[in-house]
Amino acid sequence: MGDDFIVETKNLTKEFKGFVAVSDVNLKVRRHTIHALIGPNGAGKTTCFNLITKFLPLSRGTITLNGRDITNTAPADIARLGMVRSFQISAVFGHLTALENVRVALQRKLGTSFQFWKSDKSLAELNDRAEELLVDVGVQEYRDIPAGELSYGRKRALEIATTLALDPEMLLLDEPMAGMGTEDVARTAELIKRVSKDRTILMVEHNLSVVADLSDTITVLKLGKVLAEGPYSEISQNPEVIEAYMGHGVGSHA
């Protein structure tokens, strides 16, 4: 398992009309770990994330998934290969109940997403798996509540459930704690820890306390380049990282 990397980037570069937002980023994400991509504002982490998930085209470089070159592969095809981005791909339907949202996602995996005229009996066959996923993310008691009526944090949990319905091998989370209160942050962090047991997770996250608690490996970007990489215990003591995060409290986590 020492060299078992599910995703690798080589010389990942993105230029916007002469401005280099990401420069020669070499990233290796080890299978069955939680890997965080962090950095101060303007570091290029969101651009890097968008390149890996193919929401932006690369200027230069390569990306491999399980040893397969996906540099020119479309996002939808990458999802079929087992790498799925949450909070972007898995938006919920506000007028459908929590259970119905997950059931639609399960239909999508079966290739029947748009067959809304299918019989209730046929759709009900998906209920058991849908309810299991609601239990997995801790929102089973809201199964019959329209998604639009759920709190922000529980709506994010439901989105993770719809993503898990696609049975991804790798889950990419784009700022999963954004806009959450303390209670929802704690609940979502526990959820991420739970669903990571048999999956790989790559996330961009601003909440350094969450990053410290969850991540096996952290890659720090600054001005589009890798500044440091390692466990939180190492990067939080790195003088260059501390300088980059001056005033952001990178070393303050207990």
Side-chain angles (χ1 to χ4, degrees):
M1 293 290 289
D3 296 320
D4 192 11
F5 299 107
I6 184 169
V7 164
E8 294 187 48
T9 72
K10 293 182 180 179
N11 303 320
L12 196 66
T13 299
K14 180 62 179 179
E15 297 180 4
F16 294 98
K17 296 181 179 179
F19 169 68
V20 183
V22 172
S23 178
D24 292 320
V25 169
N26 296 311
L27 190 67
K28 292 185 177 183
V29 180
R30 196 179 302 278
R31 195 179 308 278
H32 297 151
T33 64
I34 299 178
H35 194 127
L37 196 60
I38 71 170
N41 291 336
K45 54 190 180 297
T46 298
T47 301
C48 189
F49 199 73
N50 285 334
L51 293 173
I52 294 170
T53 55
K54 306 312 300 295
F55 281 73
L56 278 176
L58 283 68
S59 297
R60 292 188 302 278
T62 59
I63 307 169
T64 58
L65 172 64
N66 284 321
R68 174 174 178 168
D69 190 326
I70 60 167
T71 307
N72 298 309
T73 305
D77 294 327
I78 290 174
R80 295 187 188 97
L81 293 174
M83 186 169 78
V84 177
R85 179 174 181 170
S86 189
F87 307 143
Q88 291 274 343
I89 292 175
S90 60
V92 298
F93 299 100
H95 64 289
L96 297 181
T97 67
L99 181 70
E100 289 168 340
N101 266 280
V102 180
R103 199 166 63 183
V104 166
L106 289 168
Q107 282 182 262
R108 177 179 174 181
K109 185 172 187 294
L110 295 174
T112 58
S113 307
F114 302 105
Q115 296 184 29
F116 291 107
W117 58 86
K118 287 173 70 70
S119 70
D120 287 342
K121 180 179 179 181
S122 175
L123 293 179
E125 293 176 1
L126 300 174
N127 280 353
D128 287 347
R129 179 57 183 151
E131 291 187 356
E132 285 177 6
L133 288 166
L134 290 178
V135 170
D136 285 346
V137 301
V139 294
Q140 65 273 22
E141 61 188 287
Y142 305 99
R143 69 187 294 280
D144 298 318
I145 304 296
E149 297 178 16
L150 297 178
S151 71
Y152 185 83
R154 292 193 172 96
K155 196 177 293 182
R156 298 291 82 81
L158 178 58
E159 288 178 336
I160 289 182
T162 62
T163 304
L164 295 180
L166 301 178
D167 199 23
E169 182 179 6
M170 182 172 182
L171 189 59
L172 298 110
L173 305 179
D174 188 3
E175 298 186 29
M177 311 299 176
M180 289 188 183
T182 304
E183 183 179 338
D184 280 337
V185 165
R187 184 185 295 116
T188 304
E190 181 57 38
L191 167 58
I192 291 172
K193 190 179 297 184
R194 192 160 66 243
V195 303
S196 71
K197 289 181 179 178
D198 55 354
R199 295 177 180 86
T200 305
I201 292 180
L202 175 65
M203 66 177 182
V204 169
E205 180 53 53
H206 285 288
N207 189 319
L208 292 177
S209 178
V210 168
V211 169
D213 287 337
L214 289 180
S215 305
D216 299 295
T217 303
I218 300 169
T219 299
V220 185
L221 295 181
K222 180 183 179 183
L223 300 177
K225 296 183 178 182
V226 174
L227 178 64
E229 186 171 276
Y232 185 84
S233 59
E234 289 182 11
I235 69 105
S236 63
Q237 302 302 317
N238 184 308
E240 291 182 291
V241 175
I242 293 172
E243 182 182 356
Y245 267 99
M246 192 65 70
H248 293 261
V250 70
S252 63
H253 181 76

